Amino acid sequence: MKKELFDFLNTDLQFVKGVGPVLASKFDEILGGRRVLDFLLHKPSYVRPREITDSVINVQPGEIITIPVLIKSYKKGGVFRGRRAPTQIMCNDKLGVPITIQFFNTTFLDYWLNKLPIGQWRIISGKLEYNNNGGAIISHPEFIECLENAEKIPSIQAVYPSGEGLTQKNFANVRDQIFASLDTKVNDCETSVRDFFDALRTVHFPKSADDLLPNSGAILTLSYSELFAHQVAIAISRKHRQEIRSIRGVRKKKHDLMPKFYEVLTFKLTDAQERVIDEIFDDMKKPTPMMRLVQGDVGSGKTIVALSAATKMAESGTQTVLMAPTDTLAQQHFATLQSLCEKIGIVCDILTGRDKGRERTEKLISIKSGRTKLIVGTHAVFSDDTEYKDLGLVIIDEQHRFGVAQREAIRIKGNNPDVLALSATPIPRTLSMTIYGDMDISILNEKPAGRLPIKTTKLPIMRINDLVKRLSVQVENGAKVFWVCPLVEESETSDLTAAQERYDFLKSHFPDAGLVHGKMDKKKRDKVMSEFSNANSKMRVLVSTTVIEVGIDVPSASIIVIENAERFGLAALHQLRGRVGRGYAQSFCVLFYGKNITEDGIKRLDVLCETDDGFIIAEQDLMMRGVGELLGTKQSGWIAYNFVDYREHRDLFKLASRDAREMEIVSDWAKDLMFVFNREHRVGA
Ligand code: ADP
Ligand code: MG
């Protein structure tokens, strides 16, 4: 790839015209990166037709309508007798049928009124609804244009998965700017490069819904490229691991710590835990560095397996890092592990981005000297100023997007340490062979004895009041409740608003309820979390956006309510549900669904009501997942492909993996594709 093109793909989105640092960080949150490339890899989820029609009678309620209207009169909104009334603009369509445009948010009212002058024609586009009197209403139209500018409204609009603070207009603007610059840079490139960027163009400017289907030419090109990039990286990683096999000597045991490890356990290990620990210890004896993935359903007891590995390392005086995806999780691991380590005789410490100043320096010195044997933290454990005396093992817990590139980066930074990854996202075996082709896999397929399956029911959201009544009784009796608020797809109303509104509603029934969301200051959020975790606290209901992170352990919580469950992937729901059922009490999960749920949606929820076996659920998830991305999958899956659809592209998996294996030398284009898809830049970022 030409340097010019490469540099452009690496450009920070804040330098795209009309973006700037604030919007760029919002894009970062949604795209999982803030480069031009990250934007290009963000696939629109569907298309919205905006063909112009002459009359409201041609369009069904709930659908998008694009229509010329004649503006007749205004009725200003405001607060009347404590009730908020919207500002309304009365219009007629070409057949004289009345339509009302309304604005609830009156902050920019003059701006809108200027765009809709009385006595003139305008084309507007938005969602058509009807009020109780049968009048057609369009609230907050997304487009308002003069008749001569009608072509400014796209007749087919690509709709991007979005989030708080970003509108579809923001996406369209960035896309237009990027592609305007891209063309000149791609034009004189070789065919494979041009084909690839042509496919991206098709996906970002779809001409019909078909362009976004899994079997469209463009999506096939991109999916194959994505899989191929991944498979080449795996092949390389496998080769490297074999090459370094003889460099590393066998570790010598200096202390006897394992007996103490078994002594401090307050429970008996499950057979599965014992088997997996054996597998890990076997790896550690080998000259080839360990690269092992432990897949164990939520609550299967992975932390203690991690501790056994760290203890084994400490026996030879070697250090272990345990890396968690978030501060909160790192803190929680540290709280559990520290007291156990103390009893075993291992010095354990925590290192996150929050450590500053002298305290941090002291921690770093202790790590460098080799005194600290177990370092729990976030990706800060790999910041430039962190030096290890002898890092023998890196354990990665519940890491999202822990791809092959990250594995390689750790290998290089830590001088070929053993790597142990822990995941609660079960992946069917057939797939994991290709996805994790360079790793050995252990499966923790057993829960600690005495755990009751979580009783799961589905319920229409209309019955919320019934549920609240029942919950009140449970809460009186000491139950703790996680309440997960709906995900909002486009940011018409934000996730936060939804959570805030639900919180206000629940507070009238549960005055001590707490609220956490992603926009909250971390300290405040941790405070609420720890108050909720505290067994004696009065806070018995915790309302949250989807941020209750994978792995959060509040054993006393026994009820979880998930709103808009139909919009999550099954695996994601299973993860969320796993926040309860961690103690010995009977736990419950309520899946709320909206009125627009489809028959398939109901079937999917039924899977969860019937089983709590993560592997069955994962298999069903892949089989039943409809076209188009379900919300929440990005958060839960380790491998979140941008274009690949597990269900539709099984043959491509095989093809890409064969092509990668048969490749004699790594071509330039294969290297370019690895750059495009493997997101190396994330590690330690
Ligand atoms: P996960 O696999 O989801 O990370 P954890 O390691 O957090 O699970 O374990 C869940 C809970 O089960 C913890 O409270 C842990 O102490 C407990 N636990 C782990 N192993 C056992 C066991 N063999 N018997 C009983 N309880 C266990
Ligand atoms: Mg865990």
Side-chain angles (χ1 to χ4, degrees):
M1 206 186 293
K2 284 188 308 178
K3 179 160 187 317
E4 192 199 354
L5 178 56
F6 182 87
D7 288 345
F8 178 64
L9 295 178
N10 259 332
T11 311
D12 192 313
L13 285 174
Q14 70 168 309
F15 301 118
V16 172
K17 209 169 118 202
V19 179
V22 177
L23 274 190
S25 11
K26 295 199 168 137
F27 274 115
D28 192 1
E29 273 172 37
I30 289 157
L31 310 176
R34 51 187 291 154
R35 303 165 305 162
V36 163
L37 178 58
D38 297 307
F39 186 93
L40 288 171
L41 298 180
H42 190 65
K43 181 171 96 54
S45 39
Y46 58 96
V47 299
R48 181 176 280 163
R50 291 193 188 273
E51 284 124 16
I52 297 173
T53 183
D54 281 346
S55 176
V56 284
I57 58 176
N58 302 331
V59 176
Q60 294 295 319
E63 303 211 322
I64 298 295
I65 184 169
T66 305
I67 186 169
V69 293
L70 176 63
I71 295 120
K72 310 285 279 189
S73 62
Y74 297 154
K75 198 165 95 195
K76 279 221 178 198
V79 180
F80 302 105
R81 292 197 211 108
R83 295 185 64 176
R84 222 153 52 106
T87 288
Q88 297 190 318
I89 293 122
M90 271 58 83
C91 316
N92 283 350
D93 71 14
K94 281 193 175 163
L95 301 186
V97 181
I99 307 176
T100 304
I101 304 173
Q102 64 183 16
F103 295 96
F104 285 95
N105 178 340
T106 46
T107 320
F108 304 108
L109 196 57
D110 288 341
Y111 170 81
W112 297 116
L113 293 184
N114 267 332
K115 289 192 130 205
L116 294 162
I118 291 176
Q120 298 205 17
W121 285 89
R122 289 290 181 269
I123 293 195
I124 59 166
S125 184
K127 193 185 203 175
L128 176 67
E129 270 154 344
Y130 284 87
N131 66 17
N132 294 338
N133 306 325
I137 290 206
I138 298 174
S139 303
H140 293 259
E142 291 143 274
F143 292 89
I144 302 176
E145 296 292 345
C146 303
L147 296 190
E148 54 274 23
N149 288 339
E151 82 283 357
K152 282 198 183 162
I153 304 177
S155 56
I156 286 271
Q157 183 196 7
V159 181
Y160 290 88
S162 182
E164 212 160 303
L166 283 181
T167 63
Q168 291 300 322
K169 284 227 170 101
N170 294 136
F171 277 93
N173 166 49
V174 172
R175 174 200 57 192
D176 293 349
Q177 305 273 351
I178 289 178
F179 277 93
S181 319
L182 199 57
D183 286 343
T184 56
K185 295 181 175 61
V186 172
N187 271 340
D188 51 343
C189 286
E190 53 192 294
T191 340
S192 45
V193 181
R194 282 209 316 268
D195 286 350
F196 180 78
F197 285 96
D198 278 351
L200 279 178
R201 167 177 275 283
T202 306
V203 163
H204 284 277
F205 296 93
K207 295 212 168 58
S208 74
D210 290 351
D211 284 336
L212 296 179
L213 293 182
N215 59 358
S216 81
I219 296 288
L220 284 176
T221 301
L222 296 170
S223 302
Y224 173 80
S225 305
E226 185 167 28
L227 287 167
F228 182 65
H230 188 211
Q231 292 300 320
V232 172
I234 283 176
I236 293 175
S237 159
R238 203 188 295 130
K239 194 155 148 271
H240 281 164
R241 203 148 67 92
Q242 294 310 321
E243 279 166 1
I244 48 181
R245 99 185 250 131
S246 50
I247 306 172
R248 192 176 84 176
V250 177
R251 295 191 187 94
K252 287 206 190 69
K253 184 160 146 183
K254 297 180 187 154
H255 320 276
D256 217 8
L257 296 173
M258 284 313 292
K260 288 216 183 104
F261 167 82
Y262 287 108
E263 246 169 61
V264 303
L265 290 186
T266 52
F267 43 73
K268 190 180 165 308
L269 292 176
T270 63
D271 290 348
Q273 282 170 321
E274 283 189 15
R275 191 192 67 239
V276 172
I277 291 174
D278 280 347
E279 286 168 352
I280 292 170
F281 287 6
D282 273 350
D283 284 354
M284 287 180 169
K285 285 185 211 138
K286 292 179 190 156
T288 314
M290 166 163 72
M291 183 61 86
R292 183 168 288 278
L293 168 67
V294 176
Q295 286 192 351
D297 221 334
V298 276
S300 59
K302 293 183 289 292
T303 317
I304 218 70
V305 171
L307 180 63
S308 77
T311 308
K312 192 77 183 169
M313 277 291 151
E315 285 197 327
S316 56
T318 319
Q319 293 168 297
T320 297
V321 150
L322 171 60
M323 195 163 92
T326 64
D327 269 13
T328 326
L329 268 179
Q331 303 280 359
Q332 197 178 298
H333 273 316
F334 182 61
T336 318
L337 292 172
Q338 192 192 22
S339 61
L340 292 172
C341 281
E342 213 167 279
K343 290 179 200 146
I344 300 173
I346 299 173
V347 180
C348 171
D349 208 345
I350 180 164
L351 191 67
T352 69
R354 256 193 272 172
D355 293 303
K356 300 260 147 60
R358 214 177 81 207
E359 210 178 322
R360 180 179 168 85
T361 316
E362 276 167 17
K363 287 184 177 193
L364 292 180
I365 290 173
S366 179
I367 292 171
K368 192 174 174 185
S369 75
R371 180 177 158 271
T372 311
K373 290 290 186 306
L374 175 56
I375 300 98
V376 180
T378 53
H379 53 239
V381 293
F382 286 122
S383 58
D384 288 339
D385 60 347
T386 318
E387 275 180 70
Y388 295 89
K389 175 141 186 279
D390 181 10
L391 179 57
L393 171 64
V394 177
I395 305 173
I396 318 262
D397 188 34
E398 312 280 10
Q399 190 66 275
H400 310 298
R401 284 186 181 265
F402 176 65
V404 59
Q406 282 82 347
R407 285 173 234 158
E408 276 288 276
I410 286 169
R411 191 178 64 71
I412 292 158
K413 281 190 190 175
N415 194 22
N416 302 316
D418 285 334
V419 174
L420 181 64
L422 311 176
S423 165
T425 311
I427 295 190
R429 246 190 199 285
T430 44
L431 267 182
S432 61
M433 304 280 281
T434 24
I435 295 177
Y436 300 118
D438 59 332
M439 303 187 98
D440 300 306
I441 296 179
S442 293
I443 296 189
L444 268 181
N445 52 355
E446 190 184 344
K447 294 233 172 112
R451 296 281 151 86
L452 297 166
I454 303 163
K455 282 198 178 146
T456 304
T457 44
K458 58 180 197 305
L459 210 64
I461 187 76
M462 288 159 353
R463 296 194 35 204
I464 185 165
N465 285 322
D466 294 350
L467 181 75
V468 167
K469 255 184 235 148
R470 277 194 281 158
L471 282 184
S472 305
V473 180
Q474 300 271 5
V475 167
E476 287 276 304
N477 294 332
K480 272 194 185 171
V481 185
F482 279 117
W483 189 296
V484 183
C485 284
L487 280 162
V488 177
E489 190 175 12
E490 292 165 53
S491 46
E492 285 156 15
T493 29
S494 64
D495 285 1
L496 181 53
T497 324
Q500 185 73 46
E501 277 169 10
R502 184 59 82 223
Y503 172 67
D504 293 342
F505 166 76
L506 288 171
K507 226 171 143 97
S508 59
H509 298 88
F510 309 102
D512 297 308
L515 171 70
V516 287
H517 55 77
K519 293 285 162 304
M520 221 161 153
D521 174 75
K522 277 204 168 165
K523 273 206 185 117
K524 224 169 133 191
R525 186 158 128 198
D526 287 349
K527 202 170 150 252
V528 179
M529 279 308 306
S530 70
E531 196 182 336
F532 182 65
S533 313
N534 181 345
N536 302 321
S537 118
K538 276 211 253 164
M539 186 188 291
R540 311 213 68 89
V541 176
L542 182 69
V543 183
S544 76
T545 48
T546 47
V547 295
I548 26 169
E549 292 141 76
V550 181
I552 285 286
D553 194 17
V554 184
S556 55
S558 62
I559 301 176
I560 185 164
V561 179
I562 305 172
E563 291 197 41
N564 275 124
E566 74 275 17
R567 299 177 67 185
F568 289 91
L570 286 186
L573 285 174
H574 180 60
Q575 287 281 350
L576 278 174
R577 175 169 67 172
R579 297 311 104 222
V580 301
R582 299 171 85 83
Y584 294 98
Q586 175 65 58
S587 296
F588 300 90
C589 168
V590 179
L591 304 169
F592 263 138
Y593 56 88
K595 56 178 188 284
N596 294 329
I597 191 168
T598 58
E599 229 168 272
D600 277 355
I602 294 272
K603 269 194 213 144
R604 286 159 30 80
L605 296 189
D606 281 339
V607 173
L608 281 155
C609 298
E610 279 153 25
T611 180
D612 72 340
D613 181 324
F615 282 88
I616 295 178
I617 291 167
E619 189 76 58
Q620 293 286 331
D621 197 21
L622 294 179
M623 294 315 292
M624 297 173 79
R625 177 164 302 173
V627 182
E629 173 141 25
L630 286 157
L631 292 157
T633 47
K634 282 229 169 88
Q635 288 94 317
S636 71
W638 272 29
I639 303 278
Y641 286 113
N642 293 69
F643 301 103
V644 177
D645 179 324
Y646 287 106
R647 193 179 58 159
E648 303 286 336
H649 293 143
R650 291 202 169 196
D651 293 339
L652 280 190
F653 271 97
K654 285 185 206 132
L655 207 61
S657 132
R658 199 191 63 203
D659 290 352
R661 259 183 286 129
E662 286 175 0
M663 197 171 48
E664 298 274 315
I665 50 159
V666 183
S667 67
D668 285 346
W669 177 232
K671 283 184 197 150
D672 289 344
L673 281 180
M674 288 203 297
F675 154 73
V676 167
F677 285 110
N678 286 331
R679 297 184 180 239
E680 207 129 7
H681 65 288
R682 286 167 173 285
V683 172

